[in-house]
Amino acid sequence: MNVERLFFRTTAEIYLILIKITQDMPKNSPEDVKEYYNRMTASYLDIYGDVIQAFRPTDTEKLLDHIARSAGINWNMKVLDLGCGVAGPATYFSKKWNVSIDAVTVSDVQAQIAAEKISQENLDEKVRVHTGDYHQLEQLPIADDCYDVVLFLESLGHSYDIQLAIGEAARKLKDGGILYIKDFYKKKGENSGEQQKIDKVIRNINRHYAYNTLDLEALKDAVLKAGLKIVFVQPFDFMDDISVRYNFEQANNIDIFEGIPEFYPAEWLEIKCIKA
């Protein structure tokens, strides 16, 4: 019996050590994210189109209309899109609701494509794309306390410091402004074996996508520390069409499960916060 107790205690201790090692692993930096999108944007455009978001219904307009409705985007607002990709959502929101948008991407390749798209859509006066790191918005011509809505659309998960990123976003919001986050969050396993499987897949996601998969409780804490109030945290009310993501991974030889049966290692959620 004592041997069994020792074995299980040792196993538990090893598991806690593995968790600690995982948590302490170096995170993908803005330079890593920049290199990733400079290299991979052409493939994203071929398969995803100009809305580079993995969790999506079959109809892209339905996705963007849902985001606008949830975030409260309306006529003539000022919007800040952090991690804007090639400005597909930004140009859509601007054309449909006449909003003025500042869009930020760390990738100079994406910024160039976005600028060309904005010009083609005759939106140069409404949509401005900036190349930079959303952790350092003071380095960009983006004013404080003036935006109605700030968006992180599957981009906050690239952050190496969510407290800093959320703080920067909150500083740009006017009083009563909305922070809207669309992303996925690592699940908690019911036992050590399940948690090890989840951790392995999340590590693969982070490696293949230059990601730092979010922890929901850490995000909530960052939001509250930034002086924001959470309005809702909820799953999406549409079905995820996985075919686009599947085609992208097939085309780029990405295998996040490495032979084990597929499962959901993370939960997709939308989060709405207000600067009270």
Side-chain angles (χ1 to χ4, degrees):
M1 181 64 70
N2 290 336
V3 174
E4 290 179 356
R5 286 177 179 171
L6 178 62
F7 171 77
F8 285 117
R9 187 183 69 179
T10 304
T11 302
E13 288 173 350
I14 292 172
Y15 176 58
L16 290 174
I17 291 170
L18 289 173
I19 291 176
K20 184 68 166 58
I21 291 172
T22 299
Q23 291 173 339
D24 291 342
M25 288 178 65
K27 292 188 175 182
N28 285 297
S29 69
E31 280 300 316
D32 295 326
V33 178
K34 175 181 178 178
E35 187 280 329
Y36 172 76
Y37 280 112
N38 282 353
R39 174 169 48 88
M40 297 297 292
T41 291
S43 183
Y44 274 110
L45 291 175
D46 286 343
I47 297 170
Y48 278 82
D50 62 7
V51 178
I52 304 174
Q53 295 184 46
F55 191 90
R56 57 201 291 151
T58 303
D59 184 344
T60 303
E61 288 193 8
K62 180 180 178 181
L63 168 64
L64 297 177
D65 287 342
H66 175 93
I67 290 170
R69 183 169 61 253
S70 288
I73 293 175
N74 214 327
W75 288 95
N76 303 320
M77 283 185 167
K78 290 192 68 175
V79 175
L80 178 59
D81 185 359
L82 298 177
C84 66
V86 297
T91 54
Y92 181 86
F93 297 146
S94 184
K95 287 190 295 183
K96 189 159 186 176
W97 287 283
N98 196 40
V99 297
S100 175
I101 300 185
D102 283 292
V104 178
T105 174
V106 74
S107 165
D108 46 326
V109 169
Q110 288 188 336
Q112 181 178 350
I113 295 170
E116 292 170 357
K117 177 179 178 60
I118 291 163
S119 181
Q120 291 169 1
E121 300 281 357
N122 296 315
L123 291 170
D124 300 88
E125 300 299 317
K126 301 297 293 185
V127 183
R128 294 161 298 279
V129 64
H130 308 273
T131 308
D133 177 4
Y134 60 49
H135 299 92
Q136 301 178 28
L137 293 178
E138 74 280 356
Q139 297 183 6
L140 300 175
I142 295 173
D144 292 348
D145 306 310
C146 72
Y147 292 92
D148 298 288
V149 177
V150 176
L151 302 170
F152 283 107
L153 303 179
E154 297 189 28
S155 57
L156 186 58
H158 288 298
S159 173
Y160 67 91
D161 185 337
I162 59 170
Q163 187 66 69
L164 179 57
I166 295 291
E168 285 289 282
R171 191 159 54 85
K172 300 304 175 181
L173 282 170
K174 62 173 61 172
D175 288 342
I178 296 298
L179 172 65
Y180 177 84
I181 302 164
K182 174 180 184 279
D183 223 306
F184 62 91
Y185 304 84
K186 179 180 173 180
K187 284 187 174 180
K188 302 289 192 298
E190 294 185 359
N191 53 60
S192 62
E194 183 178 358
Q195 191 64 56
Q196 289 175 24
K197 287 172 58 179
I198 291 171
D199 291 346
K200 177 181 178 179
V201 175
I202 292 297
R203 286 195 298 272
N204 288 339
I205 290 171
N206 292 345
R207 177 167 55 88
H208 285 294
Y209 289 96
Y211 229 62
N212 300 306
T213 299
L214 297 165
D215 176 84
L216 182 57
E217 295 308 314
L219 176 61
K220 289 179 180 178
D221 185 58
V223 165
L224 296 176
K225 286 181 178 177
L228 304 176
K229 178 181 178 182
I230 296 173
V231 179
F232 63 66
V233 177
Q234 63 189 27
F236 293 89
D237 65 0
F238 54 79
M239 295 294 293
D240 180 21
D241 179 0
I242 67 170
S243 62
V244 177
R245 184 166 71 253
Y246 175 82
N247 291 337
F248 178 82
E249 292 186 346
Q250 288 292 302
N252 290 284
N253 298 313
I254 296 172
D255 180 9
I256 63 172
F257 293 100
E258 295 184 344
I260 67 174
E262 294 193 12
F263 65 100
Y264 287 98
E267 182 179 17
W268 286 92
L269 298 169
E270 57 178 345
I271 299 177
K272 181 176 182 179
C273 313
I274 188 168
K275 186 175 182 179

